[in-house]
Amino acid sequence: MPAARSVFGMTISISHFPVTAPDVDAAVAFYRDALGLEVVNDVPYGEFRWVTLATPGSSVGQIVISQPHAGRSEQEGDQIASLVALGAFGPIVFDTDDLDAAFEKARASGLGEVLQEPMDQGWGVRDCAFRDPAGNMVRVGEKAA
C-alpha cells in the first residue's frame, strides 16, 4: 500500500503498530501461521525481544510484538499485562480479498480463539473476529460487494 499524499502536501503512512503479548513465541505463531504474516525482524534486548511481522511483500503497516515489561517499569508492565489479558487493546484490523479462506486458515490453525464467524456488518464490510493467544482482539475484514 503506497503512502498517501495528505491535503497538507506531505506523504504519510502507517509504519508500525505495537502488539503486546506475554508469550512472544505464541503471538508470532498466531500472526505468522494463522494470518499468514512474515517475520521481518526479531530483535533480542536482554531478556526481552521485539518481533516485527508484515504482510508478505509489504514494508508498511508492520506489527511489532513485545512483552508487557519490555522497555517499561515493573509497575507499567504489570498494568499493561493486566489490560492485555482483559482484551482491552485493539482491535487490530486486517483486510483480505478472501475472508472465508482467511477465516478457515486462522480457525484451522487452532492458535487463536474464534469470537465471530464471517458476517456482514452494517458499516459496509464483511468480517470475522479472533482473540490472539494474549487476548488481543483481531478482526479480519473484506469489503462488501
Side-chain angles (χ1 to χ4, degrees):
M1 174 168 86
R5 184 153 302 276
S6 78
V7 294
F8 302 109
M10 64 183 178
T11 302
I12 191 164
S13 63
I14 295 173
S15 174
H16 294 82
F17 182 85
V19 175
T20 305
D23 184 340
V24 172
D25 290 327
V28 168
F30 174 79
Y31 290 97
R32 182 192 60 218
D33 302 339
L35 297 183
L37 301 184
E38 293 181 340
V39 174
V40 175
N41 213 351
D42 190 336
V43 180
Y45 185 75
E47 64 184 276
F48 301 108
R49 64 195 251 243
W50 286 261
V51 180
T52 306
L53 295 99
T55 302
S58 177
S59 63
V60 297
Q62 299 178 2
I63 64 169
V64 181
I65 300 171
S66 66
Q67 294 155 294
H69 294 88
R72 299 179 182 95
S73 71
E74 189 70 24
Q75 181 182 8
E76 289 172 323
D78 289 348
Q79 289 172 337
I80 290 171
S82 294
L83 291 170
V84 169
L86 292 172
F89 297 113
I92 304 159
V93 182
F94 293 91
D95 288 330
T96 183
D97 59 356
D98 188 343
L99 181 63
D100 293 321
F103 176 78
E104 288 305 324
K105 177 181 179 176
R107 178 170 57 181
S109 76
L111 296 169
E113 174 191 357
V114 175
L115 296 178
Q116 173 205 304
E117 294 196 9
M119 65 180 282
D120 293 331
Q121 301 291 354
W123 54 87
V125 299
R126 184 167 175 261
D127 75 352
C128 62
F130 295 89
R131 284 218 190 278
D132 74 10
N136 295 296
M137 181 187 285
V138 175
R139 298 193 80 84
V140 181
E142 172 183 80
K143 288 186 180 177

